[in-house]
Amino acid sequence: MQNKFFWGNSVSSMQTEGGWNEGGKSLSVYDVQKPAKDLSDWHFANDNFHNFAEDFDLMKDAGMNMYRFQISWSRVVKDGTGAWNEAGIEYYDHFIDELIKRGIEPMICLYHFDMPLYLAEKYNGFLRKETVKAFVRFGKEMVKRFSAKCKWWITFNEQNLYSQPDIAFRIAGYVKGDKTTDELYQIMHNVMTAHAQISNFIHETSDAKIGGMLAYSEVYPALCRPKDVECARQWDEFINFSLLDCFAGQGYSPAMLKLVETKHIDMKMLPEELKDIADLKNDFLSFSYYASTTVDSTNITEETVPNYFLIKGKKVNPYIDSTEWDWQIDPVGFRNVLNKMYQRYRIPVFPIENGIGVREKWDGKNIIEDDYRIKYHKEHIDAMLKAINKDGVEVLGYLGWGLIDILSSGGDMEKRYGLVYVNRGNRDLRDMKRVPKKSYFWFKKVIASGGNEM
């Protein structure tokens, strides 16, 4: 394994910070969400706005040397487009210094679905160019403020989700409309434009590194039926490779541009935006990986745009196990993804989210014996090491997701990913005590051995 390898933890702001109406923070779309039955709101999270030192100490003790976190747009800019909130910026400045003091490299993410409420209501989020302009302004200012001491950046968490119609409109801050294919492609393009402009600015003004990020789930053909194979290939092309092509400096894939032309999809692309994308070249390719699935072509017609394939044809894979949330566990798929990204582009790859969510209870005394989590991480780290040592893939590190328990993306504290238990529920905050699980001590040993002892 390479000498400089990152082991660490990834989170978002709304799932960790709390302090939703403090320190001059404006409202985001999450701050006003009514929690679903038996789930949590986003007002308190893990209370990192008031106290993050204990979590940083736990990461240091485990041997982690990178923490990927998000700067909340709403915390540092009034309504996402107004005056700078210096109190919010000072919070992150102190936050970063405390990481560095512990030998933990900060990786900054600029957007993790929490659109400023003002921009959602006024412009329908990333559907409109005005939001792109506001985001680029925010991103460039954060680069100016922090790139001297933060050398690793991503713009958008899981950027290919903006190409998937069952998710894109929600995470883009879209609040009203018909959710058309034209609008889906406009959102996808606007997000890529924003990514390109900030990436190019980083390279023009600093020595920091920036990467594009996907939510990469391996999608297999449900059967060896040729049409299933074709659909799996097209899904990869439209959801993953078209964006990866942009990250690698090749622009949108010819397949996607041809479909846009033949189906008369209005992406509202401007010449200067295409130039920004043409000038783009990312330093690494990053991704989240949790599961794989399959696609069945039976209900997919020639008229179906590939972005909709899984809505029409997703099928359970009978050969692998599933979590209780129906996420299918597939470390072989993880190795496949590492290879597909690296062998095609020869740019270093970085898995910056990986983990398993499980319901867990703590009895207040005994350690949580989470052998299932150890098994999950062991199998995925082993698959990564095979990609490195047998396939020649250049991998920068391995970051787990929410390795100190956080709210899930749906606001469920009981879907726990952490190596460390946080003693709170969805409606009962309890004492928020941090309690290392069995997997914490296992992961500490893995890191100390550079992945050689598992």
Side-chain angles (χ1 to χ4, degrees), residues 18-297:
W20 69 286
N21 61 352
E22 299 180 59
K25 183 181 179 299
S26 302
L27 293 176
S28 80
V29 292
Y30 277 83
D31 296 325
V32 298
Q33 276 185 14
K34 300 297 183 188
K37 186 177 183 296
D38 298 326
L39 298 182
S40 176
D41 62 26
W42 304 91
H43 292 173
F44 201 79
N46 275 10
D47 198 29
N48 275 185
F49 180 67
H50 297 105
N51 177 31
F52 48 72
E54 184 179 5
D55 290 349
F56 289 4
D57 288 342
L58 283 163
M59 286 188 279
K60 178 184 177 183
D61 176 71
M64 296 180 192
N65 59 358
M66 179 171 277
Y67 186 41
R68 173 211 152 188
F69 66 96
Q70 180 206 351
I71 292 177
S72 168
W73 188 358
S74 300
R75 192 174 293 285
V76 298
V77 188
K78 181 174 175 54
D79 292 329
T81 190
W84 303 112
N85 176 28
E86 294 298 334
I89 295 171
E90 184 179 343
Y91 163 75
Y92 290 112
D93 196 42
H94 177 54
F95 186 101
I96 290 164
D97 286 344
E98 290 297 311
L99 284 171
I100 293 170
K101 188 196 307 185
R102 290 167 173 82
I104 301 171
E105 192 93 23
M107 174 187 276
I108 291 176
C109 172
L110 292 171
Y111 186 78
H112 198 123
F113 314 154
D114 57 339
M115 176 65 61
L117 182 63
Y118 173 81
L119 295 176
E121 293 179 340
K122 186 172 178 63
Y123 297 121
N124 241 5
F126 279 112
L127 182 64
R128 295 273 294 275
K129 306 289 187 187
E130 290 89 344
T131 303
V132 175
K133 182 178 179 181
F135 178 78
V136 171
R137 171 180 176 259
F138 150 64
K140 287 182 176 180
E141 185 68 16
M142 295 304 100
V143 170
K144 291 175 187 175
R145 301 274 188 143
F146 297 127
S147 61
K149 52 189 176 183
C150 296
K151 300 304 180 184
W152 298 87
W153 294 72
I154 59 173
T155 50
F156 294 94
N157 178 70
E158 300 177 327
Q159 191 172 328
N160 59 341
L161 296 185
Y162 298 92
S163 304
Q164 300 177 42
D166 53 337
I167 304 172
F169 296 99
R170 172 173 55 83
I171 65 175
Y174 180 105
V175 295
K176 54 184 179 296
D178 296 327
K179 300 181 181 179
T180 66
T181 300
D182 280 3
E183 289 179 326
L184 176 69
Y185 272 70
Q186 287 163 19
I187 287 170
M188 181 275 292
H189 172 68
N190 284 341
V191 169
M192 182 57 79
T193 296
H195 170 77
Q197 290 183 11
I198 292 172
S199 294
N200 295 341
F201 181 78
I202 279 182
H203 289 144
E204 291 163 4
T205 61
S206 78
D207 61 351
K209 297 180 184 299
I210 186 165
M213 183 194 175
L214 304 184
Y216 211 138
S217 296
E218 180 75 300
V219 176
Y220 304 109
L223 300 173
C224 55
R225 182 168 46 202
K227 187 64 176 175
D228 287 8
V229 176
E230 181 184 46
C231 287
R233 177 191 63 77
Q234 288 182 309
W235 171 266
D236 224 3
E237 185 66 49
F238 279 73
I239 299 302
N240 300 315
F241 289 137
S242 190
L243 272 64
L244 288 167
D245 284 355
C246 291
F247 298 154
Q250 300 173 15
Y252 292 126
S253 77
M256 193 202 81
L257 292 176
K258 190 65 177 178
L259 179 131
V260 167
E261 176 190 341
T262 57
K263 289 194 174 295
H264 308 290
I265 295 172
D266 181 11
M267 290 179 67
K268 297 193 183 303
M269 295 187 291
L270 301 176
E272 59 268 29
E273 295 170 346
L274 291 174
K275 183 180 185 308
D276 288 331
I277 294 169
D279 292 340
L280 173 62
K281 185 65 179 291
N282 283 165
D283 303 294
F284 59 93
L285 304 175
S286 60
F287 67 103
S288 65
Y289 181 88
Y290 295 96
S292 68
T293 191
T294 80
V295 61
D296 182 327
S297 63

Side-chain angles (χ1 to χ4, degrees), residues 240-421:
N240 300 315
F241 289 137
S242 190
L243 272 64
L244 288 167
D245 284 355
C246 291
F247 298 154
Q250 300 173 15
Y252 292 126
S253 77
M256 193 202 81
L257 292 176
K258 190 65 177 178
L259 179 131
V260 167
E261 176 190 341
T262 57
K263 289 194 174 295
H264 308 290
I265 295 172
D266 181 11
M267 290 179 67
K268 297 193 183 303
M269 295 187 291
L270 301 176
E272 59 268 29
E273 295 170 346
L274 291 174
K275 183 180 185 308
D276 288 331
I277 294 169
D279 292 340
L280 173 62
K281 185 65 179 291
N282 283 165
D283 303 294
F284 59 93
L285 304 175
S286 60
F287 67 103
S288 65
Y289 181 88
Y290 295 96
S292 68
T293 191
T294 80
V295 61
D296 182 327
S297 63
T298 305
N299 296 320
I300 295 172
T301 69
E302 288 295 323
E303 295 305 309
T304 306
V305 174
N307 307 67
Y308 297 79
F309 280 3
L310 285 192
I311 293 175
K312 290 181 173 289
K314 182 176 179 178
K315 288 287 187 294
V316 171
N317 187 338
Y319 297 101
I320 53 179
D321 294 331
S322 300
T323 72
E324 63 181 293
W325 283 275
D326 297 324
W327 290 23
Q328 296 209 265
I329 301 168
D330 181 15
V332 174
F334 186 40
R335 182 178 176 183
N336 290 342
V337 167
L338 287 163
N339 270 279
K340 286 198 291 187
M341 294 175 75
Y342 184 72
Q343 307 297 353
R344 179 162 172 160
Y345 300 104
R346 311 292 174 87
I347 297 171
V349 294
F350 201 162
I352 60 174
E353 286 185 29
N354 183 235
I356 182 171
V358 182
R359 296 187 193 277
E360 294 166 324
K361 298 293 183 184
W362 180 50
D363 64 8
K365 180 175 63 174
N366 297 301
I367 193 168
I368 294 173
E369 302 271 354
D370 57 337
D371 293 307
Y372 40 81
R373 183 169 290 107
I374 293 172
K375 181 176 186 290
Y376 180 95
H377 282 289
K378 180 180 185 299
E379 290 177 346
H380 284 77
I381 292 170
D382 182 62
M384 175 186 71
L385 293 175
K386 287 176 180 174
I388 294 169
N389 297 321
K390 295 188 175 185
D391 306 331
V393 177
E394 185 178 353
V395 179
L396 297 175
Y398 177 85
L399 307 186
W401 174 253
L403 295 183
I404 296 170
D405 282 348
I406 60 176
L407 291 167
S408 76
S409 59
D412 189 356
M413 194 66 196
E414 303 305 341
K415 186 181 184 184
R416 296 178 182 271
Y417 285 86
L419 313 176
V420 176
Y421 185 87

